[in-house]
Structures are given as structure tokens and as C-alpha cells.
Amino acid sequence: MNYFPNGNEEIELIKFITLYQYLYVTDAKYFFKAQCYYRKRIKNLIDKGLLRKINLNLVLGELGIDYAKLFKFEYNKLNRNATYSERLIRVASIGAFYHNCNTVKFTPSFAIKDKSIFTTTGRRFIGILDINGIEYLAYQISKEHDNRYITSVIYDIQKERTYKNIIIFTNDISRINISDFTFGTNQVIILKDTIENKEKLKYLNSINWDKIINDYFKSNVLLSEYSFCDYTNHKDKYISTFYFIDTEKINRIKCFLRENKNKNAIIICNKDIENDLKRELPNAKYISIDLKPYIDKERTYYD
């Protein structure tokens, strides 16, 4: 029997599990182009002893540990603490999803090279998402987390000095109080942790908003220099765009409307977040559209 992995896809999977320690079995499909056969490939790696299963998760097998050490992969010894291993599994799920993505690079917190940036061991961030060259500090708030944990995430963001863009994955948006998650930073994006939203996140910075504005307003509005809106005619149109829920932008609009009761805010948003936005900004005017046709997948970004 050949005890080595078959090809680069299997090598990349082993390298990934060497770093993350755990990987939910179904997340292994993201490492294979022929996803319909990934279970057969996994079984082959388990039969060889390169991987093994713990419940529904993959970890390194005995031969896999030897293989990782032989080729000097970044190796983390398996952590069996129940609470921490659950965190690792959730983080690995995000890492696996974006493993072969051209627009998103995910670096887990435990793999960040510059440890001097994050010297407090109790930090709650799970990693950094680089989306088209723009970095976002990422957090997770799951249904298993209590209010004390949510408070600790808020405190964590409050003391953050390096990153001005935040993304929070959650499986229950109702647990997020918008007013508690405004910090005077650039963006705090809240999104439900689903496959559909993780797919949408790939194009966070690829929406052709200029084309949308032209389709709906022609040449009657321009890019805004104000912080509370994205486009304006400096008279009666103050237009803000939303792809996901952004607590900072919501707060800026609230402040504008509070100080300018005779003004109107116009919000252009994806259909799936319209109701969430209306709860926060009930007096705004809404243009709810399908943003998919406006995604520019070939858009290039420069530093």
C-alpha cells in the first residue's frame, strides 16, 4: 500500500488539519474539485492512518502526525478540552470554506505571526479575514455563548486599536443589540453564519454600487463626503448602501436623522436584510433589490 497522500488536494487537507487540529467531516469537501467523491478520498486517508475520526470530526492519525513532522508542517498538538475544541471546529469551518477562495484569505488567531499585536491571552477574536486586500478582525457569537461572553466580545472590540473593520458571525442575530456594537470604528458587520452568507462575503467589496446608483438615480447624485451616507445630491437625497448589517453605518444614520428631523435617508439593500434594517431605521425609505447582478467578480483592488 502507498501510505502517502494522493496529490496536492490531500496534502493541503492534511496540512490544514495539522494547523487547525480538527475539521468537521463535511467541510473536507472544500479541498476537492470533485466534491462528490470527497468521502471516498477521506476514507482512503483514514485507511492509511493519515487521518482518523473523533465523532464527526477529522484529526490527524498516527501516520499523519509523522507525515506532518517529516515535511515540517505547522503542527499543533491535538487539544482535547471540550470548550476549546468546539471553538477550533467552528474556526476551522470558516478556514476550510475560504481555503481555495481567490477573494478571501482567512488567518486563524492562533496562526497570526505577529503575536505582539495580540498580547492579551483572553482576546475573543477568531482570526483575520482579508477580503480583496481589506482586513477584518473576525469574531463568532453562537447560541452556546452566554451574555457574559457577548459582553467580553464588546469589551474586546472596544480596546482594539489596530483593526477598524470588524465581522461578527452569529447563528442568532436577535442576540446582537445594535446599539451595544457601535464603537466609532469604520465597519462592524453582523451576519448570520450560514453557507449562503459566507458565499456572499466573498463579494463584500465587489458590488458595483455606482451602477446601481446610476440605474435608480441617473446622474442626479454624487459620491458623498459625509460619513452617514454614501451618495447624495446635498439637498433631499442621502443614500446609504448595505450588503450586510453594518452597526456603525446604522448608528451614523440614526445620528443624522436625530439632528435633521426634516431630512430623509434612503437605503439601498439586499432583500434579505431589509426587515432587520427597518427595525433599526423605520423612518428611512428603502430600495430593496437583488444585488447579485451587480457583483463585479473581476474587480481588482490596489493598495
Side-chain angles (χ1 to χ4, degrees):
M1 177 185 275
N2 175 11
Y3 288 97
F4 285 89
N6 294 325
N8 288 332
E9 291 177 329
E10 292 186 4
I11 293 172
E12 285 299 308
L13 176 61
I14 292 170
K15 186 183 293 186
F16 182 91
I17 295 174
T18 302
L19 176 63
Y20 283 80
Q21 304 179 46
Y22 294 88
L23 181 65
Y24 193 58
V25 171
T26 56
D27 285 333
K29 65 178 175 286
Y30 299 121
F31 291 81
F32 301 100
K33 289 182 180 178
Q35 293 188 359
C36 54
Y37 297 110
Y38 85 94
R39 290 186 181 275
K40 184 177 180 180
R41 303 282 295 273
I42 295 303
K43 183 180 183 304
N44 183 49
L45 289 169
I46 291 173
D47 289 344
K48 290 180 177 181
L50 289 162
L51 298 179
R52 61 189 177 93
K53 284 176 65 177
I54 297 179
N55 297 323
L56 296 175
N57 299 292
L58 297 170
V59 300
L60 290 182
E62 188 173 333
L63 188 60
I65 294 172
D66 292 339
Y67 181 85
K69 290 180 177 179
L70 175 65
F71 289 96
K72 295 181 170 55
F73 294 164
E74 189 169 347
Y75 172 65
N76 289 313
K77 186 177 179 181
L78 189 67
N79 189 313
R80 295 180 179 274
N81 178 276
T83 301
Y84 189 66
S85 63
E86 281 300 316
R87 171 186 165 94
L88 289 172
I89 292 164
R90 290 194 296 266
V91 173
S93 185
I94 294 174
F97 188 88
Y98 295 115
H99 179 71
N100 288 313
C101 179
N102 292 326
T103 60
V104 181
K105 177 185 176 183
F106 179 66
T107 305
S109 56
F110 51 80
I112 292 172
K113 301 301 181 184
D114 189 356
K115 300 294 184 181
S116 64
I117 296 176
F118 305 103
T119 55
T120 306
T121 57
R123 291 295 299 266
R124 297 298 187 183
F125 73 98
I126 60 168
I128 297 169
L129 284 158
D130 183 317
I131 306 175
N132 289 118
I134 300 174
E135 292 186 327
Y136 299 79
L137 199 61
Y139 293 83
Q140 280 183 330
I141 296 177
S142 72
K143 60 184 178 182
E144 293 81 15
H145 291 138
D146 57 18
N147 290 335
R148 183 179 176 183
Y149 182 88
I150 295 175
T151 300
S152 70
V153 170
I154 293 170
Y155 176 68
D156 203 77
I157 299 173
Q158 284 175 336
K159 65 184 179 183
E160 174 57 38
R161 295 292 179 266
T162 303
Y163 293 89
K164 302 302 180 183
N165 299 299
I166 310 292
I167 289 177
I168 300 174
F169 295 92
T170 179
N171 51 20
D172 185 2
I173 286 182
S174 67
R175 300 192 67 197
I176 305 296
N177 186 326
I178 298 296
S179 61
D180 289 340
F181 281 83
T182 54
F183 309 97
T185 187
N186 186 23
Q187 299 177 78
V188 176
I189 293 170
I190 312 290
L191 70 157
K192 193 167 185 180
D193 193 354
T194 63
I195 291 175
E196 292 76 16
N197 276 341
K198 282 190 286 220
E199 181 66 26
K200 282 175 57 181
L201 194 60
K202 294 178 181 179
Y203 309 110
L204 174 63
N205 298 312
S206 301
I207 306 298
N208 193 335
W209 293 110
D210 288 346
K211 187 176 189 308
I212 295 171
I213 292 297
N214 186 62
D215 287 350
Y216 282 86
F217 297 95
K218 304 306 178 186
S219 58
N220 297 323
V221 297
L222 301 170
L223 277 171
S224 172
E225 69 273 26
Y226 305 129
S227 63
F228 59 85
C229 66
D230 300 295
Y231 298 86
T232 184
N233 65 352
H234 298 93
K235 182 180 177 183
D236 60 354
K237 291 182 175 65
Y238 300 92
I239 306 162
S240 297
T241 61
F242 285 84
Y243 188 49
F244 291 112
I245 298 295
D246 180 349
T247 63
E248 296 288 3
K249 185 178 282 190
I250 289 171
N251 186 59
R252 290 193 289 266
I253 296 171
K254 282 182 177 179
C255 291
F256 166 69
L257 293 176
R258 191 160 52 241
E259 298 297 324
N260 299 272
K261 298 187 184 299
N262 61 329
K263 302 292 187 181
N264 293 314
I266 301 172
I267 291 175
I268 302 176
C269 65
N270 232 349
K271 291 180 178 180
D272 60 343
I273 63 171
E274 181 180 6
N275 289 335
D276 292 322
L277 288 171
K278 281 183 174 178
R279 280 193 290 270
E280 298 297 324
L281 298 164
N283 297 323
K285 296 180 179 180
Y286 288 84
I287 300 174
S288 175
I289 62 176
D290 180 6
L291 292 175
K292 285 183 181 178
Y294 295 96
I295 293 176
D296 185 358
K297 296 184 178 180
E298 303 301 320
R299 182 170 292 192
T300 302
Y301 290 80
Y302 300 93
D303 294 333

